[in-house]
Amino acid sequence: MFYLECRFLPTLYFLLYIPCPKTLCLLLCSWWRFVLTGNLLSKPIMATLNIMFALALLYSTSSGALIPSESTCVNKPAGNMMVNGDFESNYNVLVDADGNNKTHTTFGDSGIAMNWTTMGKVQFGRNGNLVWGGANSENGDVYAILRRGARLTQTLTGLKDGTYILMFQVSERRSSLELLTVLVNGKHLAFELNPSSDFRTFSAHFAPHTNGVAVVEFINSSPNGDLSVLLDDVQVYESKACGTGATCHEHNARVTDYVCKCDQAGYSGLDVTNGQASCLHSSDPTTDDKVAALQLRVDDLEEENGDLQTRVSQLEKQIANLINALKQTQLSTSDVMTPAANLTSTQDHPEILSTDKGGLNFVSRGDVTLNGEPIITNSQGKEMVVDAIVKALSNIADTL
């Protein structure tokens, strides 16, 4: 009775529209009951109750594991993993024998919905029908009705390693005592959630089993009595990618944003809003290690630079050798001249000139002779020059 009395206090009614475990609700009610009924206690006790109330209120309204809204971390392009989460496929036909539409399946019927396993009394009701309180999820024709102790289960397989988000709508039949417990692989995502009389969306993060399996369970965990929980629009999505070592969280202040936090084991880093985080693992190289590695690279570059300078110096020497080889093919300036005068075009004697630049000019294709004896032929002179150039170029190639 005390819980009922507290539950219907108008001043507290808005507060109990949020997720509120029964024990916590009783704590909140006890404080308000003392105030509203005039049963005020001593100031120290009231001060203690005030503190307890503030802490309880903070706890009950914080997101915790269960978020009282649609998650901003949902990666909707990846697709909904839940099958028939709106219960629109293969539910019990809500038409009686005379063809009239029914508001709900007959009491005691075991509701059957494709891809769901049911235990206990599970029925289906039409959205907005007054027999079940008039609640409307605005999602298709029907919602699932879990009578006290009933259970709805669906097993998802083939899930990847990572974080997923379960979203669902839930309501009650205006009796104000209904409680819903939600589990994934046996772990609580919501324990004795007290729904409101209108459908509201809730979200929770979870990780599948290492074998890619997630067993999603909804249980009407209400106390004794004719208490029913209304469930609809169950969805499972991958969480948005936040980078290695980071997971997605809803933004505390902005309902349209999300935050990537480096909160996975062994990782640290700065939070990033609406983007992936760059997380550092404890086994990653430290800053000192990175500086030492960079110094080694600098040392290697300096050594390579020294080798390059040596090769450039050797190249300069080889180019100088080439120039010297070319100079050796030249004649020094001289007054000696063998004129070509009086020679006919059929004769094979060249004119040899000592130019002001010391150049050797083959005036014709003949040999150079002295007193009629050959000194050097035209082809021999060319070979000497070519050999010198080839040797110099070979040395340059070796240097490079």
Side-chain angles (χ1 to χ4, degrees):
M1 289 299 296
F2 175 65
Y3 184 69
L4 285 173
E5 178 184 357
C6 287
R7 178 63 172 134
F8 286 105
L9 284 175
T11 310
L12 195 58
Y13 192 74
F14 78 98
L15 196 58
L16 299 181
Y17 264 40
I18 60 177
C20 180
K22 182 163 61 176
T23 304
L24 186 58
C25 288
L26 288 173
L27 176 63
L28 297 177
C29 287
S30 64
W31 186 88
W32 279 104
R33 186 171 183 271
F34 281 128
V35 174
L36 296 180
T37 60
N39 296 329
L40 301 179
L41 302 179
S42 63
K43 290 184 178 180
I45 295 179
M46 286 304 299
T48 302
L49 287 175
N50 280 328
I51 295 174
M52 294 174 65
F53 174 77
L55 293 175
L57 180 61
L58 177 63
Y59 170 80
S60 64
T61 56
S62 62
S63 60
L66 194 66
I67 307 156
S69 64
E70 181 173 325
S71 173
T72 54
C73 289
V74 169
N75 182 16
K76 286 198 172 181
N80 181 12
M81 310 294 177
M82 187 67 66
V83 181
N84 192 29
D86 55 6
F87 308 106
E88 298 296 317
S89 299
N90 292 356
Y91 60 84
N92 293 50
V93 179
L94 300 183
V95 178
D96 60 23
D98 298 326
N100 299 316
N101 287 338
K102 298 166 63 179
T103 59
H104 59 280
T105 53
T106 306
F107 176 79
D109 288 351
S110 177
I112 299 174
M114 185 178 68
N115 292 91
W116 289 95
T117 300
T118 62
M119 181 181 296
K121 296 178 181 178
V122 177
Q123 300 169 266
F124 298 93
R126 289 194 184 279
N127 267 313
N129 82 82
L130 297 179
V131 175
W132 290 90
N136 191 336
S137 69
E138 299 182 357
N139 184 70
D141 287 337
V142 300
Y143 50 75
I145 304 171
L146 280 71
R147 308 303 291 253
R148 186 177 63 83
R151 181 187 303 251
L152 264 175
T153 305
Q154 184 170 147
T155 300
L156 305 178
T157 60
L159 302 183
K160 297 182 294 185
D161 185 29
T163 303
Y164 287 79
I165 298 172
L166 170 67
M167 296 194 301
F168 58 92
Q169 291 192 56
V170 64
S171 179
E172 63 181 5
R173 196 186 178 186
R174 290 192 181 277
S175 60
S176 305
L177 291 177
E178 283 86 346
L179 299 174
L180 175 68
T181 296
V182 184
L183 302 95
V184 173
N185 291 335
K187 296 182 179 179
H188 285 92
L189 297 187
F191 177 71
E192 294 191 346
L193 166 67
N194 186 202
S196 69
S197 57
D198 296 319
F199 274 102
R200 291 188 59 186
T201 299
F202 292 89
S203 308
H205 297 239
F206 72 91
H209 193 272
T210 54
N211 61 4
V213 172
V215 180
V216 182
E217 297 179 89
F218 294 90
I219 306 170
N220 183 339
S221 53
S222 304
N224 293 333
D226 183 14
L227 305 174
S228 300
V229 172
L230 316 181
L231 180 69
D232 201 4
D233 196 20
V234 182
Q235 306 175 60
V236 171
Y237 290 95
E238 290 184 33
S239 178
K240 290 180 178 177
C242 273
T244 303
T247 52
C248 185
H249 297 264
E250 291 68 25
H251 198 287
N252 289 332
R254 298 191 293 272
V255 296
T256 59
D257 293 340
Y258 65 93
V259 180
C260 288
K261 297 184 178 183
C262 300
D263 53 1
Q264 295 186 21
Y267 287 90
S268 61
L270 299 177
D271 296 350
V272 177
T273 301
N274 297 335
Q276 294 192 1
S278 298
C279 306
L280 182 67
H281 195 268
S282 56
S283 63
D284 292 343
T286 63
T287 302
D288 291 341
D289 293 336
K290 292 182 179 180
V291 170
L294 182 60
Q295 184 61 52
L296 289 175
R297 180 56 181 156
V298 170
D299 293 342
D300 291 342
L301 290 175
E302 289 179 346
E303 184 177 350
E304 292 176 4
N305 182 54
D307 293 340
L308 181 60
Q309 291 179 346
T310 300
R311 294 169 66 184
V312 169
S313 178
Q314 292 175 351
L315 180 61
E316 290 176 345
K317 291 180 180 179
Q318 298 302 328
I319 292 176
N321 292 338
L322 175 61
I323 294 174
N324 290 333
L326 293 174
K327 287 182 177 180
Q328 290 174 4
T329 65
Q330 298 177 340
L331 297 176
S332 59
T333 303
S334 172
D335 294 334
V336 177
M337 175 182 293
T338 303
N342 302 321
L343 294 178
T344 65
S345 59
T346 60
Q347 291 176 308
D348 199 30
H349 295 282
E351 180 182 18
I352 302 175
L353 299 176
S354 179
T355 65
D356 56 351
K357 295 183 180 180
L360 177 64
N361 299 311
F362 289 95
V363 178
S364 66
R365 53 190 175 84
D367 298 333
V368 178
T369 62
L370 180 62
N371 295 328
E373 297 293 331
I375 299 176
I376 184 172
T377 64
N378 186 15
S379 60
Q380 289 174 333
K382 290 182 179 179
E383 288 177 0
M384 291 173 61
V385 174
V386 170
D387 288 344
I389 294 174
V390 168
K391 182 178 181 181
L393 293 177
S394 177
N395 290 336
I396 293 173
D398 292 341
T399 302
L400 297 175

